[in-house]
Amino acid sequence: MEFGSTEDGRHDKFPVGMRVLAVDDNPTCLRKLEELLLRCKYHVTKTMESRKALEMLRENSNMFDLVISDVEMPDTDGFKLLEIGLEMDLPVIMLSAHSDYDSVMKGIIHGACDYLVKPVGLKELQNIWHHVVKKNIKSYAKLLPPSESDSVPSASRKRKDKVNDSGDEDDSDREEDDGEGSEQDGDESGTRKKPRVVWSQELHQKFVSAVQQLGLDKAVPKKILDLMSIEGLTRENVASHLQKYRLYLKKIDEGQQQNMTPDAFGTRDSSYFQMAQLDGLRDFTAARQIPSSGLLSRSHLTKLQPPMYSSINLQGMNSSSFIQQGHHQNSSNSANPFGTYHSTLSPRIQNVNLFQRTSSPLEPLQFPRSKSYIGDFKGLGDRAIGGSFLDTCMPFGSSSTSLPSASTNPLMLQANYTQPLHIASDGIQPCIEGTPSNSASPNISFQGLSRFPGHSWQGNLNTTRFPPSSLPLNLAFLPDQVTCAGNNLGDCTSLVSAENPGGEMQCDPQLLGGFMQNVNPLGGQKWEQQNCTMLNNPFGNIEYPLPADNMVFRDNNSTRSKGLDESLMNPIDNSQEYVGKATTMLDPEMKSGKPENDNQHDVFDDIMNEMMKQEENNGMVPVATRFGFDSFPPP
DNA sequence: CACGAAATAT
DNA sequence: CATATTTCGT
């Protein structure tokens, strides 16, 4: 890292001597690569054996500033190397002859800071040092105090076009430049635009927990912030969210008082609704009495949000490369995953990160399975659709191997305002494959998503809207979406339904959140350090392994779904019935094992299993119990 | 300076 | 259009 050399010269010289570890099992390629790297004036260490490369890294990661490795290699594949590199906090560039979507995506998802397609040209290599700088922005910033870059008070910044005309028109080059705003580098001293925090469920859960602990009245931004202890989150962020949250509470109240009928499936408030889900506790805290009751049956279905990922996302922040990538648009050689994505999937893509989904009506492809996706990317397919899934996962790190980078970030920030990654919203339907459902009804699609934790409360759709108050404690195990789905899904949902007041094993997301916080001492620690063990698995999320502070980034995007009418046409009638069904449905699946058809059942199974596990492992405290404690502050 | 409401940006 | 950020008055 240190480019000590930097000091001496001007920036231009900086990259000179940058220590690059080049790995490629193909002698020819390696040679070529070395030559090019040398031409860039880097200091090159090359090896054809990935194992050796690993050893070198392990012995002394300080020996290199950057790693550039071929993906396909005999013994240890490039991903292992990538993993290690990431652990050491080194930027790793993947190199491959494959420029297809899967390959590129895989590399990026795993945390590669760039993905170059062979044959690599000098141009691409000339810019790789940017990654090194990015990785060390902080320290680097110190070195150059007044650099011109930061000072951008106002006016000026002339360049809008930038370098285009200079030499040839190659296009490539991504990165940085953008004049205003982009640059994700994150924090840094300067005053850049604040990264946009996406209030993921997890984040919101934490928020709610904090509010709860403080007591509704006492909950002010600063205190909440402290309780949440999430790195990167600012008081303003909290204040803003609080504002919205209060608004939501207010709405709710009004609704109640006025006899708002629950059944109104109003689409409009969906967002609030969502919040409700999360905030189950609120009622208590607030001391509001809620009608409660009876209705729950229906309501219960609605929600479940597994608290999976814990984090937030800040855009533009440092670490995760993911997000940063946001701007690459197209470059000649370096395949831009997103770019690709883009092209591939066209139309409705959205970002899934947040799990908001759009309601696109139908999509062409739905891809059937979900798990595979997550499990390994191989599955990803060629089909565009795959993309969507992926996206979803991406932020969190989905692959089997651990992806530190991805998981690490606590907050997710939005990457670029501009073009982000989109995700096909559509794709999500996986779960239900069999059903011919008449329509590709939206419902179905949702389901697919459901497995992901991510929906933001805001985005989800709610099927029916109940007065939130009615469901204070329930927790749904399943994702809300599930609920939505009328038919098939419905069943599943029921499983979870929390109707029973008894509170058996419910897990309220919030509670969990809270739980985690309390229990997990790590909470505050840096996310960077935490590795993600289990995050990979989508379901894993449920486990809530980490301290939950990660953030997620959000891309841009657009639309959300609300529309769907929530569909729901078939609202669910009574929970019990459903439950019954659910059970039955599940059983078969369980027994069967899990064949390849992953449909919802599997998913559910998984979820359930995870939950159980979770309980066992964590000794989940009786939610109820916990609830009792904290939640009942009798103010 | 912090909070909260409103304006504004994305 | 919704959500998050920024601004502004208290």
Side-chain angles (χ1 to χ4, degrees):
Chain A
M1 21 185 117
E2 40 216 353
F3 316 106
S5 52
T6 312
E7 294 286 25
D8 13 1
R10 359 194 34 330
H11 314 2
D12 312 355
K13 294 207 161 180
F14 149 60
V16 172
M18 180 174 76
R19 299 157 306 171
V20 178
L21 174 59
V23 190
D24 194 325
D25 59 297
N26 180 321
T28 310
C29 293
L30 184 58
R31 176 110 219 300
K32 178 79 198 260
L33 180 61
E34 180 190 23
E35 181 193 320
L36 293 172
L37 290 169
L38 288 173
R39 270 212 251 164
C40 295
K41 303 280 173 56
Y42 303 135
H43 176 280
V44 183
T45 301
K46 66 177 196 290
T47 176
M48 300 203 307
E49 300 170 65
S50 49
R51 269 198 52 217
K52 202 151 188 186
L54 272 180
E55 287 172 18
M56 289 192 270
L57 286 175
R58 289 193 161 120
E59 282 176 26
N60 189 352
S61 64
N62 292 325
M63 271 176 31
F64 306 101
D65 297 312
L66 179 149
V67 178
I68 179 164
S69 168
D70 184 24
V71 175
E72 299 87 14
M73 291 189 287
D75 48 344
T76 313
D77 89 349
F79 291 96
K80 181 61 184 173
L81 210 51
L82 170 59
E83 198 178 310
I84 301 302
L86 291 171
E87 278 174 24
M88 318 226 157
D89 203 37
L90 286 175
V92 177
I93 293 173
M94 302 299 271
L95 202 56
S96 168
H98 303 288
S99 58
D100 56 295
Y101 177 82
D102 297 19
S103 305
V104 178
M105 232 9 191
K106 185 175 176 184
I108 297 299
I109 286 176
H110 282 67
C113 62
D114 203 349
Y115 189 101
L116 303 178
V117 178
K118 293 179 183 179
V120 179
L122 185 60
K123 265 247 158 207
E124 286 74 43
L125 298 175
Q126 286 178 322
N127 288 325
I128 61 176
W129 60 271
H130 294 186
H131 298 298
V132 178
V133 175
K134 285 185 179 177
K135 278 273 183 188
N136 305 282
I137 284 193
K138 287 186 180 175
S139 54
Y140 195 55
K142 292 175 187 171
L143 296 178
L144 0 167
S147 74
E148 48 200 324
S149 59
D150 348 353
S151 55
V152 178
S154 47
S156 51
R157 234 5 164 177
K158 51 171 177 202
R159 56 167 53 322
K160 224 324 161 55
D161 307 322
K162 167 184 201 164
V163 196
N164 290 337
D165 23 14
S166 60
D168 28 82
E169 68 225 50
D170 19 325
D171 33 310
S172 55
D173 293 28
R174 34 136 169 12
E175 241 56 50
E176 345 234 93
D177 53 88
D178 17 333
E180 297 266 289
S182 55
E183 203 55 324
Q184 25 214 19
D185 308 326
D187 37 29
E188 65 173 76
S189 49
T191 2
R192 287 247 151 158
K193 292 192 172 176
K194 259 189 178 174
R196 202 173 175 91
V197 172
V198 174
W199 287 84
S200 61
Q201 290 190 5
E202 292 72 55
L203 206 57
H204 180 64
Q205 290 165 16
K206 279 200 157 192
F207 168 85
V208 175
S209 293
V211 171
Q212 202 198 110
Q213 293 182 11
L214 291 169
L216 201 42
D217 331 340
K218 319 268 179 185
V220 292
K222 197 171 182 182
K223 290 179 183 175
I224 296 172
L225 181 62
D226 292 341
L227 276 176
M228 292 175 72
S229 64
I230 286 177
E231 199 173 316
L233 195 63
T234 67
R235 195 183 59 75
E236 285 82 29
N237 296 136
V238 176
S240 170
H241 194 67
L242 181 62
Q243 183 175 38
K244 197 168 65 176
Y245 184 66
R246 284 175 171 154
L247 203 66
Y248 144 75
L249 292 176
K250 187 178 167 189
K251 264 201 171 179
I252 298 291
D253 277 4
E254 292 177 359
Q256 285 185 0
Q257 296 182 0
Q258 302 173 11
N259 114 32
M260 114 177 269
T261 4
D263 58 84
F265 296 72
T267 344
R268 9 168 177 244
D269 312 61
S270 57
S271 54
Y272 290 101
F273 183 65
Q274 302 275 344
M275 271 186 146
Q277 300 179 345
L278 299 180
D279 89 355
L281 306 185
R282 148 198 181 265
D283 302 278
F284 295 82
T285 328
R288 248 172 216 127
Q289 63 244 31
I290 337 166
S292 76
S293 26
L295 303 182
L296 288 184
S297 38
R298 260 184 165 190
S299 57
H300 60 296
L301 316 171
T302 18
K303 16 236 62 271
L304 69 78
Q305 327 192 331
M308 318 203 145
Y309 301 88
S310 36
S311 11
I312 310 180
N313 325 300
L314 299 175
Q315 184 170 41
M317 281 269 266
N318 42 344
S319 15
S320 71
S321 24
F322 260 69
I323 305 172
Q324 298 188 346
Q325 307 271 359
H327 29 344
H328 293 230
Q329 309 231 346
N330 27 2
S331 46
S332 52
N333 270 334
S334 74
N336 170 338
F338 301 109
T340 312
Y341 201 86
H342 221 351
S343 53
T344 321
L345 313 179
S346 36
R348 354 164 145 285
I349 305 192
Q350 241 183 340
N351 109 33
V352 177
N353 268 340
L354 301 196
F355 301 134
Q356 329 184 324
R357 86 192 27 339
T358 66
S359 52
S360 49
L362 4 147
E363 348 253 337
L365 327 145
Q366 24 189 30
F367 45 89
R369 69 334 171 157
S370 42
K371 263 187 160 178
S372 33
Y373 238 95
I374 306 182
D376 44 16
F377 289 99
K378 298 187 174 177
L380 283 189
D382 351 323
R383 353 102 136 359
I385 294 181
S388 52
F389 212 34
L390 251 189
D391 292 63
T392 316
C393 321
M394 285 180 30
F396 309 99
S398 32
S399 66
S400 44
T401 43
S402 52
L403 337 179
S405 61
S407 46
T408 33
N409 281 323
L411 301 178
M412 259 182 171
L413 301 184
Q414 208 165 331
N416 271 323
Y417 298 108
T418 49
Q419 296 255 344
L421 355 154
H422 301 74
I423 299 175
S425 51
D426 328 86
I428 309 201
Q429 330 192 311
C431 300
I432 309 205
E433 50 186 347
T435 331
S437 44
N438 19 3
S439 37
S441 55
N443 309 338
I444 297 183
S445 357
F446 282 87
Q447 243 189 328
L449 287 191
S450 45
R451 28 166 90 220
F452 289 113
H455 298 285
S456 46
W457 43 280
Q458 24 203 98
N460 296 334
L461 29 138
N462 38 15
T463 38
T464 31
R465 76 190 278 144
F466 293 72
S469 27
S470 32
L471 6 130
L473 302 183
N474 305 329
L475 355 96
F477 294 89
L478 308 179
D480 346 61
Q481 288 116 358
V482 174
T483 343
C484 300
N487 325 331
N488 322 332
L489 312 190
D491 314 341
C492 303
T493 325
S494 34
L495 257 195
V496 183
S497 66
E499 213 222 333
N500 60 5
E504 320 227 29
M505 54 186 287
Q506 339 187 327
C507 341
D508 182 336
Q510 276 185 320
L511 293 181
L512 281 182
F515 172 68
M516 290 303 287
Q517 277 186 327
N518 297 338
V519 173
N520 196 335
L522 301 179
Q525 81 183 52
K526 302 197 140 190
W527 26 291
E528 302 188 344
Q529 306 193 331
Q530 321 172 346
N531 282 340
C532 38
T533 44
M534 354 191 89
L535 290 183
N536 310 331
N537 159 338
F539 299 102
N541 306 335
I542 296 186
E543 293 237 6
Y544 225 95
L546 304 188
D549 320 340
N550 305 316
M551 294 181 145
V552 182
F553 294 134
R554 179 228 227 161
D555 348 325
N556 65 325
N557 56 205
S558 32
T559 46
R560 33 189 84 339
S561 64
K562 19 189 69 277
L564 305 192
D565 19 295
E566 336 283 344
S567 36
L568 330 181
M569 330 232 54
N570 331 304
I572 324 176
D573 315 310
N574 8 163
S575 52
Q576 296 197 347
E577 286 189 359
Y578 280 99
V579 176
K581 290 181 181 179
T583 314
T584 46
M585 295 189 68
L586 290 179
D587 284 349
E589 283 282 340
M590 294 178 74
K591 296 185 177 182
S592 60
K594 81 122 281 137
E596 49 248 275
N597 61 351
D598 2 45
N599 38 18
Q600 22 181 236
H601 299 302
D602 277 10
V603 175
F604 292 116
D605 284 347
D606 290 346
I607 294 178
M608 292 299 284
N609 291 338
E610 290 293 326
M611 303 264 317
M612 312 262 273
K613 225 196 264 174
Q614 186 179 22
E615 282 195 358
E616 294 177 4
N617 295 342
N618 294 339
M620 182 114 168
V621 179
V623 177
T625 308
R626 182 173 157 6
F627 192 105
F629 280 73
D630 302 341
S631 33
F632 266 111

